[in-house]
Amino acid sequence: MTDHKKLKAWVKKCAALCRPDKIVWIDGSAAQRARLEKESIAAGEIHRLNRKKLPGCFLHRTAINDVARTEGLTFICTPTKKDAGPTNNWMAPDKAYEKAGDIFRGSMKGRTMYVIPFSMGPVGSPFSKIGIELTDSIYVVLNMLIMTRAGDKVLKQLGTNGEFTKCLHSKADLDINRRLIMHFPQDNTIWSVGSGYGGNVLLGKKCLALRVASYQANQEGWMAEHMLIMGIEEPDGRIQYIAAAFPSACGKTNLAMMLPPKGLKKKGYKIWTVGDDIAWMRVDSDGRLWAINPESGFFGVAPGTNSKTNPNAMATVNRNTIFTNVLLKPDNTIWWEDGDESAPPEGIDWRGVPWKPGMVDDEGKTIKGAHPNSRFTAPAKQCPTISYRLEHHHGVPISAIIFGGRRAHVAPLVYEAFNWEHGVYVGATMASERTAAQFGKQGEVRRDPMAMLPFCGYNMARYFRHWLDMEKKLDKAPKIFHVNWFRQDKDGKFLWPGFGENLRILEWVLDRCNDKAGARKTPIGFVPNPTDIDMTGLKLSNDKMRELLLVDKKEWKQELKGQKEFLSRFEKDLPQGIKRQYLLLKKRLGV
Ligand code: OXD
Ligand code: MN
């Protein structure tokens, strides 16, 4: 097992609190995984899917009230409220340990506690971090085995006194009133209790790789970001990498795995997927920003994923995948809305209830077969476009950073920030319409700086300052862009086809980085002229293109008000650079 005294003492302490019947250390072997799968099937926690059509695949259903991240129950437990900042829920550490401790107490009686040693990032990379998750859920173990590098090799790397994040999880009784997701960045500790939903319980992901890591990154001078990483290879073999931040369920997975559109195919581009959700970035000895994807799997949204929107994801999830909250078909395969097939005549819905297409609830609303936030957990290495550099300890150099949101209006298809400081302002003020990945009213516009609003483990004003400060460390800072694939016309129709066609915009982005493409200067940044984007093989009227690239001063003056209101939440802590950029934008808009 391990000779790490602190680790053993901590496991013992947690066991004394949770009182499991048994403790099992996860070794990462196929044999142990197979045993756990059997046990989990017997307990009714997972269901084995059609072995022929979906080999190695399982279905899991969460509790009905446990289908998305619960931001209202997620806390940053720093010594002072100010350390957590105005955008986080805060609880004093003592109180948080006590409150969650009451729920953890005895919660694992009659259950097994699994000890999962996991590495975020390739095992042994100087940029990786090790965590140990204790959990009473085999579903969590099986997911962690996909999403992280886990098992004995990590313990070996940890040695006898290596640092690790202490992650404690118990389903407890899955009662929403006894559910808490607590982060103690100063203690390098995460406590999650009362939930079984991925984002709340796969503690390496949002909790460690974003909330705790963002705090550590600020201390240590690097960046932990909610970003996909992808490579774009030109026919001469040169690959340039971009990192892009979009709020949850805004298409990061689709973009990271895109196929070049027909019209651009002859240019010979190839896309490489490095990551679809999280980027850890730091300045390397060449003065450039380098990124690793700390994960080894994808935890993607199923509905809307199909052979048109994301053929590579479809090819990834046809084996060794855990599906959560999708519809079960009579042939023991699965289905979700806006997938490849039309609805089956019958099935068992995500709640475990018999389902037929067109069924409505008491209010007359269509009952979905799969939950809108239903997910697949799939090994990254199964993705046909996975980059060989996923396992490289140094990761990939980043040429451009892209921010994006889901905005029906205001934000043009793409624009480039004037400089790093302006780019940080663009990221700090970005906004998006709410999706199914969060509880709350869908469609509502919320400011989501750098797509990190729910994931920043410390005061966001300080996070902005950290972003601004990174420029000083960089000899060659990536250029910063903003995209919006979701702009609509007057009738509410999307103007841009999206998906593979987005490569046309990435091409412009990279051409701008290489001083090869034109643009016009607008008050909000450099915007391409319609002729600056290669539209070969894509029919889109000039009017549509003009509308997509429009910067409407009236709308932007309104937008400026929203930005000001949001930024005012940070009061005196707002860094000078952000204030300056606000004033410059105001001036450029003639306000
Ligand atoms: C995710 C999310 O699951 O952002 O990646 O919610
Ligand atoms: Mn995410």
Side-chain angles (χ1 to χ4, degrees), residues 235-246:
D236 64 4
R238 177 181 184 212
I239 309 178
Q240 295 175 89
Y241 295 89
I242 61 168
F246 305 112

Side-chain angles (χ1 to χ4, degrees), residues 269-288:
Y269 286 116
K270 241 195 205 146
I271 301 298
W272 296 107
T273 309
V274 183
D276 78 329
D277 196 41
I278 298 174
W280 283 0
M281 307 195 285
R282 87 268 156 217
V283 183
D284 214 324
S285 49
D286 63 353
R288 296 183 68 187

Side-chain angles (χ1 to χ4, degrees), residues 210 223-229 243-246 252 275-281 292-293 401-403 450-452 463 467:
L210 288 178
M223 309 169 90
E225 300 299 329
H226 191 201
M227 290 180 176
L228 67 89
I229 310 167
F246 305 112
K252 283 205 299 297
D276 78 329
D277 196 41
I278 298 174
W280 283 0
M281 307 195 285
I292 62 164
N293 167 18
I401 288 175
I402 301 178
F403 296 120
M450 284 84 172
M452 281 288 279
Y463 169 78
W467 261 87

Side-chain angles (χ1 to χ4, degrees), residues 242-254:
I242 61 168
F246 305 112
S248 309
C250 284
K252 283 205 299 297
T253 307
N254 290 346

Side-chain angles (χ1 to χ4, degrees), residues 476-494:
K476 193 171 185 314
K479 285 197 174 196
I480 300 179
F481 298 81
H482 185 283
V483 299
N484 174 25
W485 317 131
F486 302 95
R487 196 156 175 164
Q488 294 176 8
D489 66 12
K490 294 184 290 300
D491 304 322
K493 289 215 180 72
F494 289 119

Side-chain angles (χ1 to χ4, degrees), residues 142-352:
L142 296 175
N143 274 271
M144 288 292 282
L145 285 170
I146 296 174
M147 295 304 295
T148 72
R149 289 98 173 158
D152 283 348
K153 56 186 183 240
V154 180
L155 276 188
K156 198 165 153 225
Q157 178 65 32
L158 192 62
T160 53
N161 62 1
E163 278 294 311
F164 65 96
T165 306
K166 302 185 275 291
C167 307
L168 176 61
H169 165 250
S170 171
K171 296 179 284 188
D173 42 17
L174 294 175
D175 178 350
I176 195 163
N177 298 309
R178 286 160 43 83
R179 179 175 303 160
L180 290 167
I181 298 69
M182 305 290 209
H183 304 74
F184 306 89
Q186 273 84 356
D187 300 346
N188 203 3
T189 294
I190 299 157
W191 277 18
S192 165
V193 67
S195 173
Y197 170 74
N200 290 336
V201 301
L202 308 179
L203 299 184
K205 192 173 180 62
K206 303 302 187 182
C207 301
L208 192 164
L210 288 178
R211 296 196 190 99
V212 169
S214 62
Y215 168 86
Q216 293 173 339
N218 180 41
Q219 309 264 308
E220 298 164 10
W222 54 284
M223 309 169 90
E225 300 299 329
H226 191 201
M227 290 180 176
L228 67 89
I229 310 167
M230 66 192 283
I232 297 152
E233 180 177 336
E234 292 178 56
D236 64 4
R238 177 181 184 212
I239 309 178
Q240 295 175 89
Y241 295 89
I242 61 168
F246 305 112
S248 309
C250 284
K252 283 205 299 297
T253 307
N254 290 346
L255 188 66
M257 297 182 190
M258 67 145 70
L259 277 189
K262 262 201 202 119
L264 282 193
K265 264 221 176 99
K266 65 174 185 304
K267 284 191 168 173
Y269 286 116
K270 241 195 205 146
I271 301 298
W272 296 107
T273 309
V274 183
D276 78 329
D277 196 41
I278 298 174
W280 283 0
M281 307 195 285
R282 87 268 156 217
V283 183
D284 214 324
S285 49
D286 63 353
R288 296 183 68 187
L289 196 62
W290 286 67
I292 62 164
N293 167 18
E295 302 189 284
S296 56
F298 304 118
F299 181 64
V301 178
T305 306
N306 58 53
S307 298
K308 226 179 110 213
T309 60
N310 194 338
N312 283 316
M314 295 305 285
T316 306
V317 304
N318 60 13
R319 60 203 190 279
N320 309 319
T321 296
I322 301 171
F323 295 95
T324 302
N325 289 343
V326 297
L327 178 108
L328 180 65
K329 286 176 29 177
D331 68 349
N332 205 21
T333 63
I334 40 135
W335 179 87
W336 54 75
E337 277 77 9
D338 300 319
D340 269 345
E341 301 163 22
S342 51
E346 59 178 345
I348 308 288
D349 73 12
W350 67 273
R351 302 164 303 169

